[in-house]
Amino acid sequence: MIFDIKLIREFYSEFENKMNAIKKTINRPLTLTEKVLFSHLASSLNNFERGKDYVNFYPDRVAMQDATAQMALLQFLQAGRSQSAVPATVHCDHLIQAEIGAIKDLDNAKKANKEVYDFLESVCQKYDIGFWKPGAGIIHQVILENYAFPGGLMIGTDSHTVNAGGLGMVAIGVGGADAVDVMVGLPWELKFPKIIGVELTGKLSGWTSPKDIILKLAGILTVKGGTDCIIEYFGDGTKYISCTGKGTICNMGAEIGATTSIFPYDEKMAKYLISTNREEVAKLANQNQSHLQADPEVLANPGNYFDQIIKINLSELEPHINGPFTPDKAWPLSQFAQAVKKYGYPEDMEVGLIGSCTNSSYEDLDRAASIARQAIEKDLKVKSEFTITPGSELVRYTVERDGQLDLFEKIGGVVLANACGPCIGQWKRHRKEGEKNSIITSFNRNFAKRNDGNPLTHAFVASPEIVTAFVLSGKLTFNPETDYLINENGEKVRLEPPTGEELPKDGFEVEDLGYIEPNKSSEQIDIKVNQSSDRLQLLTPFEKFDADLFCNLKLLIKVDGKCTTDHISMAGPWLKYRGHLENISQNLLIGAINKFNGKTNSVRNQLDDNYGEVPVVAKAYKESGIGSIVIGDENYGEGSSREHAAMEPRFLGVRAVIVKSFARIHETNLKKQGVLACTFKNKEDYSKILESDNFEIKGLSEFCPNSELILIANHENGEVSKIPLMHTYNKTQIDWFYSGSALNLIRESN
C-alpha cells in the first residue's frame, strides 16, 4: 500500500501545467523552494517580497506526534468539523521513556500512557486520521518512509518535521493551532521566507558523514542565522548524498532556526522511494524531474536568485563535534581534544547514544555497526555506556535481520525502543544528578538539561560513527582519525573509517508496521475525557481582547540570555501533562534565568514582595485579576514547536511577551493563542525594564499592520519610561488577537 497515492497522483498530474503557468506569470527562473511554494498557493500568484509578505498556502498533509497531538486534537475538537480536511497522522513516539531496553520500556509506556494513547486513537478513528502505535517509530523517520514525496508541502507539530526535505519536500514545523487551521480546511499562513543557497561541491569520504555538513553549517549560521529562511541545497555534491543523509541535514536545519531545508530530486531519492515500496511515486517524480530542482539559470548564477550563498567543499570537510549546551558551537574533530582541555569539559565520556529522528536510518546504523564489527575483530570493549535507538520498526526489524543489532549488543550496547527517548529528555538515567559529566549523541539538540535533566551534563552532538568510536575510548580527547586504542591484549590498534550500505541489499522487511487505519463507522465513536484525569483536560476558550486587560500589568520575569522552548515548557517528566493545560502550566518558565537574581524559577511577587516560583507567582497575579508580561532576550523561543510554551503563559494571565528577537515558530504560536508578541524597537530598552515596574501597553485599540505600540513602564521611584515596540502582525493575526485566539475565530466561523 502506498499512503496518499490518490493525492500524489493528482498532484503530479497538475504539476507540469502549474509550473508552466507560474513561469509565465513570474517571468524569471525559479529556485526549487519557489516552485514548491508557488504550486501550493491559496491566493493569486505574485512576486512576493521575501521575509516580509505573509502568504497563504494549502499544505498536502499534516503530521502530529503524540506529545503535541494531544493539544492539537483538543483544539480540533472545538472546531466543529466531522473529519480532517486533509490527510493527517498521529505518531506515538514521544511518551516512551528509555530506561532498561526496548521491550520492557515499550511495555511500561503502554501501561503508563494508556489513557492518552486511547484518547489519541479514538480521535483518529473518529476524524479520519491515521494512527501509528507506540513502537512504530519516530515520526520523522516514519514520514520519510511512508508519506514524504518530492515537490509536496507538509506541516507537522514538531520542529523536526523539516526532515522530509531529504525527499525533496517542503516540510515545516508548526504549532497545533496551525495544524488545526489546515485540518479544518483553512489556508495556512507563512511569512514568505528568504532563501539561503548552500552549494555543496566534492564528495564525502573517510570518517566524514552527512551529519558533519549540518554541524559545520550550524557553526557558520548560528542558532538564529536561518530564521525566516529556507535552506536550499544545490551543487554536484548533493548527488552523492543518500536520501536519508539528506534527511539528516534537513532535520538539523531546525537548530539554525530555518523555516525548513530542501534538496533537489535526484537518483538517490528515487532509489529510496523504490526501496520503501513506492516505485509509482518515483516514476511520477522522474517524469517531473526538471520541476523538482532549481532552474538551470539559478544554478549557473546562484547569487542572482538566493538571498545568501554558502559554499561547502565536501572533499575538504572534517568530522565535527558540536557543543556543549548549544548546537552551533562547532568543533572540527582535529581541534576538539584541544578545546576539551582548554575549556575544562569533563574528559571522561560516560554515555554514547546513537539514533533519534536525525540519525536512525539503515545507513546510519550500518556505518556505526562497521565500527562495532572492528571492535569485535580487534578485541576492543566499550569504555562508556552505549545506547542505540532505531528510527522505526521497519529499520529495526531489518537491521535485526541483517545483524547490525547483534554487533551492537556484542560490544555492550543496549537497544532502546523505536522512539525519541533520551533525545527529548525521556531518559531515566542511572546516575547521580548535579555532577559534571559528558555524553555524546547523534541527536540534534544539546541544551542544558535537555537529555537527562542535569544542568551539568555536557552534551555533544556528532555522527553515529564518531559516537560509536568514542565509546570504545571513553575519552573526549580521542581522535579516531589519528589515535590508537589499547585492546584487551594490551596491543595498539587503529580503527578504519566506517563503511555501510545506504539501503539494505535484501530490501526492507517488517512484520507489523504499527499503523491503524481510521474507522469507517466513525459516528459510533465517542470521545470521552474523564473530568478527574490529570493527563487530559478539555479546553476552555480564552477571553477576547479588552483594553483594560493591558493596564496595571506586572513583570513576571525578565529573562537573561538563551531562552528556548525547553526553558519555557520543559519536556522530560512534564511530557505526561501535554494534554492537560492546567497541570503542565506548572512548569511555565521554570528553566529561564531571572535577570535580576541570576536564578531559575525565582521571581519577585509584587503582591507580597517575596520571591516565588514562576508559575506560582503568575497564578497569584491571575487570581488577583492582574495580568503580567514577560521580557526576553535574543531568539526567544528557539527550539521545539511546542505550543504549550505559548498556551501556558496565556493560561496563567501573561498578556504580552516582549523580546529583542523571536524564533519563528514560537512567535507564531504566541499570536495564535492571543498573547501579544512584540519586539523592542531599540534593543537597548531591554535594560530599562526594572523588577518592580507596573506596565501599560498603549495603541492596541488602533492596532493595525506596521503600527507602533508603546510600553509604559511606571518605575517605583515615580519615573516613567515610554518604550516603543514593534510587531509583525498582519490583519488576519490582529483578528486572532481581538478574538482571543485563532481557535476562537475558527469556532465563531463554524
Side-chain angles (χ1 to χ4, degrees):
M1 177 178 69
I2 302 178
F3 293 98
D4 296 348
I5 188 59
K6 182 180 178 182
L7 179 156
I8 294 170
R9 287 170 182 158
E10 290 176 355
F11 172 82
Y12 284 124
S13 70
E14 302 170 355
F15 200 39
E16 173 86 27
N17 291 335
K18 276 189 176 183
M19 283 295 103
N20 291 336
I22 288 166
K23 288 184 176 182
K24 186 176 180 180
T25 301
I26 297 296
N27 196 30
R28 63 169 172 79
L30 299 174
T31 66
L32 173 58
T33 297
E34 290 173 316
K35 291 180 180 183
V36 179
L37 291 180
F38 287 159
S39 66
H40 288 84
L41 284 172
S43 55
S44 57
L45 183 60
N46 205 333
N47 265 310
F48 301 109
E49 185 174 348
R50 297 177 186 175
K52 182 177 180 181
D53 291 338
Y54 282 93
V55 183
N56 287 327
F57 300 95
Y58 281 123
D60 297 306
R61 70 174 346 272
V62 172
M64 297 166 278
Q65 40 93 337
D66 51 354
T68 53
Q70 294 173 64
M71 198 57 71
L73 294 180
L74 284 166
Q75 293 176 86
F76 181 71
L77 292 178
Q78 297 187 52
R81 291 281 305 197
S82 59
Q83 66 179 52
S84 175
V86 301
T89 49
V90 168
H91 304 257
C92 296
D93 61 356
H94 274 57
L95 299 179
I96 302 167
Q97 186 177 52
E99 180 184 9
I100 300 166
I103 296 174
K104 185 64 175 176
D105 291 345
L106 181 58
D107 185 54
N108 289 340
K110 288 178 179 178
K111 294 175 183 175
N113 303 308
K114 185 179 186 304
E115 178 186 11
V116 172
Y117 292 148
D118 287 349
F119 167 75
L120 293 174
E121 185 177 349
S122 66
V123 175
C124 288
Q125 290 284 291
K126 187 172 183 66
Y127 292 98
D128 197 27
I129 299 168
F131 182 74
W132 290 80
K133 298 184 294 186
I138 305 172
I139 176 173
H140 312 303
Q141 181 72 24
V142 173
I143 290 292
L144 199 71
E145 292 168 355
N146 296 280
Y147 295 103
F149 66 94
L153 174 63
M154 178 181 75
I155 63 170
T157 60
D158 189 288
S159 58
H160 293 105
T161 299
V162 295
N163 190 80
L167 202 37
M169 194 173 202
V170 169
I172 300 176
V174 299
D178 279 343
V180 171
D181 280 354
V182 176
M183 291 168 68
V184 300
L186 295 174
W188 171 67
E189 183 185 69
L190 176 73
K191 185 191 294 183
F192 202 92
K194 293 183 178 181
I195 308 174
I196 298 175
V198 177
E199 183 177 9
L200 303 181
T201 59
K203 188 176 181 180
L204 297 169
S205 63
W207 284 91
T208 310
S209 74
K211 182 66 164 273
D212 299 304
I213 298 171
I214 188 59
L215 293 179
K216 180 175 177 62
L217 189 61
I220 295 171
L221 285 174
T222 77
V223 291
K224 66 175 185 176
T227 303
D228 290 331
C229 299
I230 286 181
I231 311 293
E232 182 172 326
Y233 292 88
F234 67 99
D236 288 342
T238 63
K239 64 186 179 184
Y240 299 113
I241 303 170
S242 68
C243 178
T244 52
K246 292 177 171 77
T248 291
I249 296 165
C250 293
N251 182 291
M252 269 196 72
E255 274 55 70
I256 53 178
T259 301
T260 192
S261 304
I262 191 169
F263 275 85
Y265 178 70
D266 61 11
E267 186 179 354
K268 296 288 191 182
M269 295 184 190
K271 287 182 177 179
Y272 185 75
L273 286 168
I274 294 168
S275 184
T276 52
N277 297 314
R278 291 176 287 170
E279 186 172 359
E280 182 180 349
V281 179
K283 288 180 178 178
L284 292 169
N286 288 339
Q287 293 166 9
N288 290 274
Q289 186 160 3
S290 64
H291 301 309
L292 297 171
Q293 55 192 15
D295 285 334
E297 298 90 337
V298 174
L299 301 178
N301 296 286
N304 295 336
Y305 301 97
F306 293 108
D307 297 283
Q308 181 181 351
I309 299 288
I310 296 170
K311 296 183 179 182
I312 299 176
N313 185 337
L314 304 184
S315 299
E316 298 174 354
L317 182 65
E318 271 192 74
H320 276 62
I321 299 175
N322 286 23
F325 306 129
T326 183
D328 60 352
K329 187 179 289 185
W331 306 103
L333 179 60
S334 61
Q335 300 175 21
F336 185 59
Q338 183 180 355
V340 170
K341 294 176 180 177
K342 180 178 179 180
Y343 294 101
Y345 303 146
E347 184 176 343
D348 290 337
M349 194 188 97
E350 294 195 5
V351 193
L353 307 96
I354 65 171
S356 85
C357 67
T358 317
N359 280 109
S360 56
S361 67
Y362 186 90
E363 180 185 29
D364 289 324
L365 297 183
D366 200 31
R367 282 173 62 87
S370 75
I371 306 300
R373 184 179 295 109
Q374 289 186 57
I376 295 168
E377 293 169 351
K378 299 179 181 184
D379 292 320
L380 294 167
K381 290 187 177 180
V382 296
K383 300 295 192 298
S384 308
E385 291 182 44
F386 185 36
T387 70
I388 302 93
T389 303
S392 67
E393 180 59 13
L394 185 72
V395 168
R396 189 211 64 79
Y397 191 94
T398 305
V399 294
E400 181 179 50
R401 178 200 70 190
D402 292 352
Q404 291 94 334
L405 291 190
D406 183 56
L407 291 172
F408 292 136
E409 290 175 336
K410 280 182 177 177
I411 67 168
V414 175
V415 179
L416 301 176
N418 313 322
C420 300
C423 183
I424 59 163
Q426 282 284 60
W427 184 20
K428 194 169 184 180
R429 189 176 176 193
H430 300 289
R431 78 175 311 281
K432 289 183 179 179
E433 294 185 7
E435 295 179 354
K436 287 177 67 174
N437 71 102
S438 291
I439 65 173
I440 295 186
T441 81
S442 69
F443 305 162
N444 41 50
R445 292 189 179 136
N446 57 350
F447 307 140
K449 298 186 180 183
R450 169 80 179 184
N451 301 119
D452 63 1
N454 180 1
L456 299 180
T457 293
H458 292 55
F460 298 89
V461 179
S463 69
E465 305 93 298
I466 293 293
V467 174
T468 306
F470 269 55
V471 300
L472 298 174
S473 165
K475 299 286 184 182
L476 290 185
T477 48
F478 174 62
N479 182 343
E481 290 190 319
T482 60
D483 297 347
Y484 287 90
L485 293 168
I486 305 299
N487 70 8
E488 294 300 297
N489 301 318
E491 301 166 331
K492 291 174 64 175
V493 295
R494 283 274 297 275
L495 295 173
E496 299 299 321
T499 59
E501 299 292 334
E502 293 179 14
L503 298 164
K505 292 179 180 178
D506 297 326
F508 285 105
E509 189 176 348
V510 69
E511 288 185 347
D512 179 11
L513 270 179
Y515 175 71
I516 298 177
E517 287 191 71
N519 194 311
K520 300 305 180 184
S521 304
S522 59
E523 64 277 359
Q524 301 173 11
I525 299 173
D526 291 328
I527 308 299
K528 296 180 180 179
V529 174
N530 191 328
Q531 289 188 345
S532 63
S533 171
D534 69 345
R535 298 290 302 270
L536 297 165
Q537 181 186 52
L538 295 175
L539 296 173
T540 301
F542 292 130
E543 73 271 30
K544 292 187 176 182
F545 167 78
D546 185 327
D548 290 342
L549 296 174
F550 291 82
C551 300
N552 189 33
L553 303 172
K554 306 294 184 184
L555 177 68
L556 180 59
I557 186 172
K558 180 178 178 179
V559 177
D560 185 23
K562 182 187 282 283
C563 189
T564 71
T565 48
D566 281 78
H567 293 86
I568 303 168
S569 175
M570 287 185 178
W574 291 94
L575 279 172
K576 67 179 294 186
Y577 298 123
R578 284 287 182 87
H580 198 294
L581 182 55
E582 184 175 0
N583 284 349
I584 199 168
S585 293
Q586 301 313 303
N587 77 359
L588 174 64
L589 285 158
I590 63 176
I593 297 174
N594 183 356
K595 180 70 174 179
F596 297 107
N597 60 13
K599 297 179 179 180
T600 59
N601 205 21
S602 175
V603 295
R604 182 179 175 185
N605 183 341
Q606 291 192 47
L607 299 178
D608 60 16
D609 214 26
N610 292 320
Y611 281 82
E613 298 174 350
V614 181
V616 173
V617 174
K619 185 178 180 182
Y621 289 152
K622 177 183 179 181
E623 291 177 345
S624 298
I626 298 170
S628 58
I629 68 170
V630 170
I631 302 296
D633 215 314
E634 297 280 8
N635 205 32
Y636 184 88
E638 168 194 344
S640 167
S641 69
R642 68 193 70 161
E643 65 186 337
H644 301 77
M647 297 185 79
E648 291 176 34
R650 181 72 162 104
F651 179 77
L652 287 177
V654 173
R655 306 298 180 201
V657 175
I658 302 166
V659 301
K660 293 180 181 178
S661 66
F662 281 108
R664 175 190 64 85
I665 300 177
H666 187 62
E667 181 181 19
T668 301
N669 285 346
L670 289 168
K671 291 177 178 180
K672 286 275 186 178
Q673 300 303 333
V675 180
L676 183 66
C678 294
T679 55
F680 292 104
K681 184 174 183 179
N682 305 304
K683 292 184 179 181
E684 299 78 16
D685 286 342
Y686 168 89
S687 63
K688 294 181 180 179
I689 306 299
L690 304 179
E691 193 174 29
S692 56
D693 289 346
N694 274 2
F695 302 95
E696 184 177 355
I697 299 175
K698 296 284 191 180
L700 290 173
S701 296
E702 302 79 38
F703 198 16
C704 64
N706 302 314
S707 65
E708 188 173 282
L709 303 176
I710 301 294
L711 176 68
I712 307 295
N714 298 294
H715 304 305
E716 198 170 25
N717 62 5
E719 295 182 0
V720 176
S721 293
K722 295 184 178 181
I723 300 171
L725 305 177
M726 300 172 65
H727 67 84
T728 60
Y729 284 78
N730 58 29
K731 186 179 183 306
T732 299
Q733 294 169 348
I734 291 171
D735 288 341
W736 299 342
F737 178 74
Y738 281 144
S739 295
S741 71
L743 184 59
N744 285 357
L745 203 59
I746 292 173
R747 188 187 306 104
E748 291 166 7
S749 67
N750 284 338

